[in-house]
Amino acid sequence: MRKWILLCATISSAFTLCAQSDDEKDFVEACYNYALTENKAYHDLEYLCKNIGARLSGSEELEEAIEWADTLLNGIGADKIYRQDVTVPHWERGSENGYFYSISGRNKLKLTALGGSVGTGNYKISAGVVQFDSLEELEQADSNDIKGKIVFINKPFDETFINTFKAYSSCASQRFWGAVKAAEKGGIAVLVRSLSNSHDKHPHTGVMGYKEGVDSIPAVALSLKSADKLSEDLKVDTTVSLSLRVSTTIHKDALSHNVVAELTGEEYPDDIITVGAHIDSWDLGEGAHDDGAGVVQVIETLRIFNEFGYKPKHTIRFVLFTNEENGARGAQRYAEIARSNNENHILALESDRGGFSPRGFNLDSKNEALKAKIRSWKPFLEKFGLHDFSDGYGGVDIAPLKTVNENITLLGLNPDSQRYFTHHHADNDVFEAVNRRELELGTASIASIIYLLDQNIK
């Protein structure tokens, strides 16, 4: 199909700041035309979400998704398709509920346990509540005001940040370290405001941590509506009490796998470009935006290259990482194997910010010439909506490759961020929340930038 695209594969490899050749333009436009009309990534995402669903590390669903991806990749075809064994955490949520009692009466909380949290045992815990507006405020508080109480950390997103990932980053510490800081002050449980800017009833989970030598206490996230209601009542009622029950289970580690498909480079087979996303998800919702969208975009990029008969100059690996959400052990294992094999990793791209309209790519690189080259493509790529090529973070799963090559260039697909934290780690992260055209635009953007980079890097 469309075999005429083979003509686009033979182009100049000169590393100069010049406009795209006609062949390059033809190839990129063909990527967009194919993605937007074939819609195969969207149908793959529907299967992943509706037939398999949520894919938490250690679960049967994650391993079923890995089998599905392996089979799909084999059907598409590559020079090599293989798996890498990875030992991953295995944590289960169980049941969870909570109420608080105040002058407004009995109020049910919309909450969810944070990933890795201990439970409350066979019984609920009940205590008074003390609120803090930030983790820093908790750290400065008197332990006498906290001992024996449930700690509530209620730092909201800064709505003035246009890029919502900046707001997320400024609040993330309360989720990860909240239980440790509360326990150090004598708290018996911690509640954190969900890391979201959507004022709805959906709580958002996420990974949290404990510290050796500090008591492990239950940790849960509240929906923004519940957090606001609790905060309002605490302002007028100092006798607020709260009951919480969480029945989580921490199992022994389980075996999982990274899935890797490889196209061998014809000119520089020892130079590796990685295109990756993570196949695991949290156990709420269907893991559609996080990171089912990235998974099908990676698979579709391989499909596009095969459909067009494209033979890359450098070896390109399409990697589906396991266990990004609560350990990043898949990423660590991939980098460990790369180090032990003395592999030369020159570039990596990650898609893990949802299936929204692509705006550009974050660039994490010491190679100023390469960054300038990428930015020189902006006049051409703007017609496809790609205009932001700012310095920024590549992604959790490709970051460990800096231990393989400190000079590696990392790119992170950067979609529009306004709706991402409506669904991030919540039960509304479902297939229906993904727009087909936005998803496919992201697919074409990845295929196009990888093609351009493969052609222009020596």
Side-chain angles (χ1 to χ4, degrees), residues 280-334:
D280 65 306
S281 76
W282 281 107
D283 54 332
L284 305 179
E286 297 168 352
H289 280 293
D290 188 17
D291 186 25
V295 167
V296 299
Q297 287 171 338
V298 169
I299 292 172
E300 184 71 352
T301 298
L302 172 62
R303 184 184 278 126
I304 287 173
F305 285 177
N306 273 4
E307 184 69 24
F308 294 172
Y310 180 63
K311 302 298 183 183
K313 292 184 175 183
H314 307 80
T315 291
I316 303 178
R317 285 187 186 161
F318 305 84
V319 184
L320 305 180
F321 295 94
T322 194
N323 184 233
E324 186 271 351
E325 295 292 4
N326 59 339
R329 294 189 189 176
Q332 294 163 17
R333 178 62 175 154
Y334 182 70

Side-chain angles (χ1 to χ4, degrees), residues 403-458:
T403 67
V404 181
N405 175 9
E406 64 177 8
N407 295 313
I408 191 172
T409 292
L410 305 180
L411 286 79
L413 178 65
N414 188 18
D416 184 275
S417 69
Q418 304 313 312
R419 290 169 289 153
Y420 184 65
F421 292 102
T422 297
H423 306 285
H424 184 245
H425 297 177
D427 60 7
N428 61 357
D429 185 11
V430 295
F431 173 72
E432 290 78 6
V434 179
N435 177 274
R436 177 184 62 79
R437 282 187 61 83
E438 291 184 289
L439 176 74
E440 304 292 8
L441 284 168
T443 298
S445 299
I446 293 170
S448 297
I449 202 77
I450 291 297
Y451 161 77
L452 290 171
L453 287 163
D454 178 54
Q455 285 293 319
N456 286 278
I457 297 177
K458 285 188 176 181

Side-chain angles (χ1 to χ4, degrees), residues 159-217:
E159 298 289 359
T160 66
F161 286 127
I162 303 302
N163 186 330
T164 60
F165 281 90
K166 292 183 178 180
Y168 175 80
S169 297
S170 71
C171 294
S173 60
Q174 70 184 8
R175 189 186 71 198
F176 192 84
W177 293 111
V180 171
K181 300 304 179 181
E184 287 176 337
K185 301 281 186 176
I188 63 172
V190 65
L191 319 173
V192 300
R193 183 185 186 89
S194 282
L195 302 186
S196 173
N197 50 0
S198 291
H199 292 259
D200 55 31
K201 296 181 179 180
H202 300 285
H204 298 243
T205 191
V207 71
M208 51 82 64
Y210 290 118
K211 182 179 178 180
E212 187 175 351
V214 178
D215 289 342
S216 297
I217 62 175

Side-chain angles (χ1 to χ4, degrees), residues 222-427:
L222 301 182
S223 73
L224 267 59
K225 280 189 175 292
S226 284
D228 288 343
K229 175 60 177 172
L230 177 58
S231 181
E232 290 168 4
D233 281 22
L234 283 167
K235 291 176 183 177
V236 297
D237 185 356
T238 58
T239 67
V240 171
S241 64
L242 190 145
S243 294
L244 177 69
R245 183 170 185 177
V246 180
S247 58
T248 61
T249 306
I250 300 175
H251 301 278
K252 67 179 182 179
D253 287 353
L255 179 64
S256 188
H257 307 84
N258 294 329
V259 184
V260 184
E262 189 171 299
L263 295 179
T264 304
E266 292 198 329
E267 293 187 31
Y268 311 103
D270 294 330
D271 294 346
I272 299 168
I273 296 173
T274 294
V275 186
H278 67 87
I279 196 166
D280 65 306
S281 76
W282 281 107
D283 54 332
L284 305 179
E286 297 168 352
H289 280 293
D290 188 17
D291 186 25
V295 167
V296 299
Q297 287 171 338
V298 169
I299 292 172
E300 184 71 352
T301 298
L302 172 62
R303 184 184 278 126
I304 287 173
F305 285 177
N306 273 4
E307 184 69 24
F308 294 172
Y310 180 63
K311 302 298 183 183
K313 292 184 175 183
H314 307 80
T315 291
I316 303 178
R317 285 187 186 161
F318 305 84
V319 184
L320 305 180
F321 295 94
T322 194
N323 184 233
E324 186 271 351
E325 295 292 4
N326 59 339
R329 294 189 189 176
Q332 294 163 17
R333 178 62 175 154
Y334 182 70
E336 176 189 350
I337 293 172
R339 289 193 301 272
S340 65
N341 291 339
N342 293 315
E343 294 175 349
N344 185 31
H345 286 256
I346 61 170
L347 186 139
L349 182 151
E350 181 168 336
S351 175
D352 187 20
R353 293 195 169 196
F356 302 102
S357 293
R359 299 294 186 236
F361 294 89
N362 290 340
L363 307 181
D364 181 359
S365 177
K366 297 178 181 179
N367 189 335
E368 296 299 329
L370 178 56
K371 289 195 291 185
K373 178 66 175 178
I374 293 170
R375 288 166 179 152
S376 77
W377 298 332
K378 179 180 174 180
F380 169 59
L381 295 176
E382 276 184 319
K383 66 181 288 186
F384 304 106
L386 301 178
H387 57 82
D388 188 354
F389 299 92
S390 304
D391 288 349
Y393 185 58
V396 171
D397 283 317
I398 59 176
L401 287 173
K402 286 187 175 182
T403 67
V404 181
N405 175 9
E406 64 177 8
N407 295 313
I408 191 172
T409 292
L410 305 180
L411 286 79
L413 178 65
N414 188 18
D416 184 275
S417 69
Q418 304 313 312
R419 290 169 289 153
Y420 184 65
F421 292 102
T422 297
H423 306 285
H424 184 245
H425 297 177
D427 60 7

